[in-house]
């Protein structure tokens, strides 16, 4: 395995690699070695977990980093100019994109998990999944180094579909700026959402990962929303009351909430419930008095906990999210996604269910395919 | 005894410039036990030959005077195959394959044949043959059964950034040199085409290493004039699922040992 050239003290990675997974004594050696490294050098970090053990989050380059300028060049001047520009600016790191603080928070959780469970591979694993050609590869790698992100796995597919690779990595969540790819992933049963960039992003915690979910058509199926759209609000309430004890069917992001819950339990198991670095929120238009009950009972029947349930009874979600400051918020309706983004929350659209049949207005991102994903 | 026969149906390539690729007849044709002049069935490497041909066609489209082309040689590596020589030539003509030469050799002298014909890349489905050739300083790659389903429209060449996908075929300094010059030629060919719609795609996979390994491999390849189209960094993730999606026609791993030392 090649090592960094240069003057830094590094432990040969051969000590860690091989067919067995890293042992805790080698882990300790790594931690010691890190103390001596210059802060600007990318530190040698522990080996990434096996995909089947980890919670794999695949992010596209455009959501991880800000590539607006380059995207513009691609759209206006074409692929050759785009690549030329990228290569010319290879040593210039991109600035953070909307998914950046989410990824940083995932790493913060990993650090805490490694402290408590040094031998466990139940960690977040972030994979860069981009449509870009490998010509852009060096700039992306340099940027990862610059920001000291722990991303060791990536696929630069050079224009080919990422779907097969998402599956090969047992991807638990895929975030992209391209709605077409997100839809394709959802159709293949992979939790996915289209991430948008707010005009300004409110500051979020660096130590506690906060994930907020809409209920219907995100955590739950869209069955109730169908009723609401077909028969109106009253019928919706009636239906929910009548079926209060019948769990809703699951939605595309239920699995991801489940994965988060599994990690949370690992902290609870070590007496860290109050200080848990993962916090989950349900932010729903349902109301606490009536339709909310079915939502909570459904979660309970799945054995899932959610830290805070906010029943807005139809009120706008933006202000509430602005208070919560999640790193990421998932909703199936663009109306709510836009509302959240307006108030500085990184919001993602889950194009699932009946709400998609209604034409969307005012989508910020273009639907056209592009070279930078 | 080796006999080398030119295929008069096909225009001969410029020996100084062409990239000479030898493929075993056993990989290209499935000759079974038929006799006489019966045309053989297609083997796993048939789409590979079509892909090589396609690259040549596109190169000549870009520049009719192009001399940097694939020069394909069909080689027999056993006396049994040697005896099928007429079926092999007639099958080649039947399918219209762009094979410039036939080398009818046996187990004992196929290596000699590779060397005297200036073969730069030897492709075979037989592991022992690949090892032998490699140890004699000829760049070799083992062809997988899966390549039968690879696309004939685009030649997909995979570079292994940390040589784990194939068992080590024992590179010598000489074979490292050969690997480098072959990849430089590939790189040059690739440059003849634009980003999209290229008949040749260069894919890099780093299996064990993380982004540092991949970065190093990308830079190393670039210094040889090879621009990589697709890059996959596995950092220890199981390579089977990813590689089967990539569908490379063949894998080149030699020439990277110096990256890993």
């Amino acid at each position: 395995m090649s090592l960094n050239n240069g003057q830094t003290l590094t432990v040969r990675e051969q000590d860690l690699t091989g067919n067995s997974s890293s042992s805790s004594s080698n882990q300790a050696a790594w931690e010691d070695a890190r103390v001596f490294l210059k802060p600007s050098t990318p530190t040698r970090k522990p080996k990434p977990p096996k995909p089947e053990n980890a919670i794999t989050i695949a992010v596209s380059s455009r959501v991880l980093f800000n590539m607006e300028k380059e995207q513009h060049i691609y759209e206006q001047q074409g692929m050759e100019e785009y690549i030329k520009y990228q290569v010319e600016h290879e040593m210039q790191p991109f600035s953070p994109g909307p998914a950046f603080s989410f990824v940083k928070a995932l790493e913060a959780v990993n650090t805490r998990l490694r402290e408590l469970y040094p031998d466990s591979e139940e960690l977040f694993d972030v994979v860069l999944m981009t449509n870009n050609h490998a010509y852009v590869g060096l700039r992306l790698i340099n940027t990862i180094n610059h920001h000291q992100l722990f991303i060791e796995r990536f696929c630069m597919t050079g224009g080919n579909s990422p779907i097969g690779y998402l599956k090969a990595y047992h991807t638990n969540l895929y975030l992209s700026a391209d709605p077409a790819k997100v839809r394709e992933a959802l159709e293949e049963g992979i939790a996915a959402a289209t991430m948008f960039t707010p005009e300004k992003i409110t500051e979020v915690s660096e130590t506690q990962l906060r994930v907020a979910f809409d209920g219907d058509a995100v955590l739950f199926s869209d069955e109730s929303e169908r009723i609401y759209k077909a028969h109106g609000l009253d019928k919706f309430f009636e239906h929910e009351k009548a079926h209060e004890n019948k769990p809703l069917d699951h939605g595309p992001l239920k699995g991801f909430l489940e994965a988060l819950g599994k990690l949370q339990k690992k902290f609870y198991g070590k007496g860290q419930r109050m200080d848990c670095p993962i916090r989950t929120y349900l932010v729903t238009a349902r109301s606490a008095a009536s339709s909310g009950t079915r939502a909570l009972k459904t979660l309970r029947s799945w054995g899932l906990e959610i830290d805070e349930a906010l029943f807005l009874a139809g009120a706008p979600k933006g202000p509430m999210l602005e208070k919560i400051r999640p790193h990421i918020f998932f909703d199936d309706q663009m109306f709510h996604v836009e509302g959240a983004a307006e108030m500085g929350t990184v919001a993602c659209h889950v194009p699932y269910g009946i709400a998609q049949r209604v034409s969307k207005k005012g989508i910020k991102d273009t639907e056209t395919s592009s070279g930078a994903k | 005894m080796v006999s080398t026969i030119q295929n008069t149906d096909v225009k001969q390539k410029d020996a100084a410039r062409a990239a000479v690729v030898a493929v075993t007849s056993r990989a290209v044709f499935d000759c079974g036990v038929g006799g006489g002049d019966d045309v053989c069935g297609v083997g796993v490497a048939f789409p590979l030959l079509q892909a090589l041909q396609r690259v040549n066609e596109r190169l000549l489209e870009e520049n009719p005077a192009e001399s940097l082309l694939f020069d394909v040689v069909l080689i027999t590596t056993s006396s049994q195959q040697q005896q099928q020589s007429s079926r092999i030539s007639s099958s080649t003509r039947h399918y219209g394959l762009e094979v410039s030469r036939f080398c009818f050799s046996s187990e004992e002298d196929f290596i000699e044949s590779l060397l005297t014909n200036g073969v730069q890349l030897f492709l075979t489905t037989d592991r022992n043959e690949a090892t032998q050739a490699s140890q004699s300083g000829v760049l070799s790659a083992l062809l997988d059964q899966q390549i039968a389903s690879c696309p004939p429209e685009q030649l997909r060449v995979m570079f292994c950034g940390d040589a784990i996908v194939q068992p080590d075929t024992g590179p010598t300094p000489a074979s490292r040199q050969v690997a480098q010059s072959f990849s430089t030629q590939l790189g040059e060919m690739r440059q003849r085409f634009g980003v999209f719609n290229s008949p040749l795609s260069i894919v890099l996979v780093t299996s064990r290493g993380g982004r540092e390994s991949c970065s190093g491999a990308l830079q190393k390849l670039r210094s040889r004039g090879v621009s990589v189209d697709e890059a996959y960094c596995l950092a220890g993730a199981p390579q089977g699922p990813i590689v089967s999606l990539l569908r490379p026609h063949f894998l080149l791993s030699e020439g990277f040992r110096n990256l890993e030392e």
Side-chain angles (χ1 to χ4, degrees), chain B residues 157-204:
Chain B
V157 180
M158 192 166 119
F159 284 87
C160 306
D162 50 14
I164 196 147
V165 183
Q166 265 187 310
D168 195 344
T169 48
T172 62
S175 62
R176 215 174 288 170
Q177 184 56 43
V178 179
Q180 286 186 27
S181 57
F182 183 76
S183 43
T184 301
Q185 278 183 302
L186 273 184
E188 222 186 304
M189 278 184 189
R190 180 65 188 85
Q191 291 294 93
R192 306 277 198 260
F193 307 104
V195 177
F196 292 124
N197 207 25
S198 167
L200 166 62
S201 182
I202 298 179
V203 180
L204 172 69

Side-chain angles (χ1 to χ4, degrees), chain A residues 203-219:
Chain A
E203 220 179 278
V204 288
S205 168
E206 284 179 13
T207 52
Q208 185 184 60
L209 170 69
R210 295 183 184 174
V211 184
F213 301 87
D214 172 35
D216 296 283
V218 173
L219 289 179

Side-chain angles (χ1 to χ4, degrees), chain A residues 30-330:
Chain A
W30 273 130
E31 298 305 316
D32 287 348
R34 278 173 69 178
V35 172
F36 295 101
L37 294 172
K38 294 192 289 232
S40 57
T41 322
T43 54
R44 301 301 278 179
K45 294 204 169 76
K47 210 171 93 151
K50 290 194 200 57
E52 64 263 28
N53 298 338
I55 297 167
T56 303
I57 316 280
V59 294
S60 76
S61 55
R62 267 202 297 161
V63 299
L64 183 58
F65 302 128
N66 181 334
M67 296 174 77
E68 275 171 19
K69 182 171 188 169
E70 290 76 9
Q71 178 65 10
H72 190 73
I73 293 173
Y74 171 75
E75 283 165 8
Q76 301 294 311
Q77 301 175 42
M79 178 61 95
E80 307 279 343
E81 281 306 310
Y82 166 80
I83 287 182
K84 185 158 159 265
Y85 183 89
Q86 292 281 31
V87 174
E88 273 167 14
H89 291 82
E90 208 163 73
M91 300 311 292
Q92 199 182 310
F94 296 110
S95 51
F100 191 87
S101 47
F102 174 58
V103 168
K104 277 288 194 191
L106 295 174
E107 288 180 8
V109 174
N110 274 0
T111 305
R112 293 275 302 270
L113 281 169
R114 285 197 167 103
E115 280 165 16
L116 296 175
Y117 301 91
D119 294 331
S120 174
E121 289 210 323
E122 283 177 329
L123 298 162
F124 288 115
D125 185 26
V126 180
V127 175
L128 177 64
M129 183 70 66
T130 176
N131 238 40
N132 267 300
H133 283 70
Y135 302 113
V136 188
L138 284 167
R139 191 176 184 192
L140 286 168
I141 295 174
N142 288 338
T143 305
I144 292 171
N145 288 341
H146 172 84
H147 292 291
Q148 298 189 304
L149 293 173
F150 184 42
I151 296 176
E152 296 291 345
R153 293 185 169 137
F154 43 84
C155 294
M156 297 173 188
T157 71
N160 296 316
S161 166
I163 301 301
Y165 306 108
L166 290 173
K167 286 190 190 167
Y169 274 117
H170 303 262
T171 303
N172 296 84
L173 177 67
Y174 172 51
L175 300 171
S176 170
D178 182 355
K181 292 198 176 57
V182 168
R183 268 193 291 272
E184 212 189 322
L186 284 175
E187 273 158 32
E188 295 291 322
I190 301 167
T194 315
M195 186 175 268
F196 296 91
T197 309
E199 295 269 332
K200 60 162 182 48
I201 302 182
T202 40
E203 220 179 278
V204 288
S205 168
E206 284 179 13
T207 52
Q208 185 184 60
L209 170 69
R210 295 183 184 174
V211 184
F213 301 87
D214 172 35
D216 296 283
V218 173
L219 289 179
F220 313 123
S221 73
D222 68 340
E223 58 191 85
S224 301
E225 240 172 64
R226 285 171 186 267
I227 308 260
Y228 166 64
K229 287 208 155 43
H231 304 290
L233 200 55
D234 288 340
K235 265 282 181 282
F236 167 75
F237 284 139
E238 253 180 59
H239 183 267
E240 292 307 286
K241 196 87 185 103
H243 293 86
E244 202 176 272
N245 293 309
K246 177 167 178 273
L248 290 156
D249 218 348
H250 67 87
L253 259 64
K254 178 223 176 191
F256 182 58
L257 176 65
E258 201 160 6
L260 291 176
K262 203 164 113 179
L263 289 184
Q264 282 179 310
K265 287 194 174 69
K266 297 187 79 164
F267 289 99
Y268 303 162
K270 296 269 182 174
Q272 297 201 10
R273 186 180 274 271
M274 294 315 286
D275 191 29
C276 186
I278 303 174
R279 196 160 179 82
T280 56
Y281 303 81
L282 172 66
V283 182
T284 174
R286 284 176 181 252
S287 78
S290 51
S291 50
T293 318
R294 193 178 180 199
L296 290 178
K297 288 191 174 183
T298 302
L299 287 173
R300 195 184 307 157
S301 78
W302 291 343
L304 296 184
E305 287 182 28
I306 202 145
D307 294 297
E308 286 186 42
L310 299 127
F311 299 102
L312 298 174
K317 298 187 181 183
M320 184 57 68
L321 289 163
E322 216 263 320
K323 286 192 173 52
I324 294 171
R325 308 272 177 110
H327 293 84
I328 193 168
F329 166 60
F330 299 99

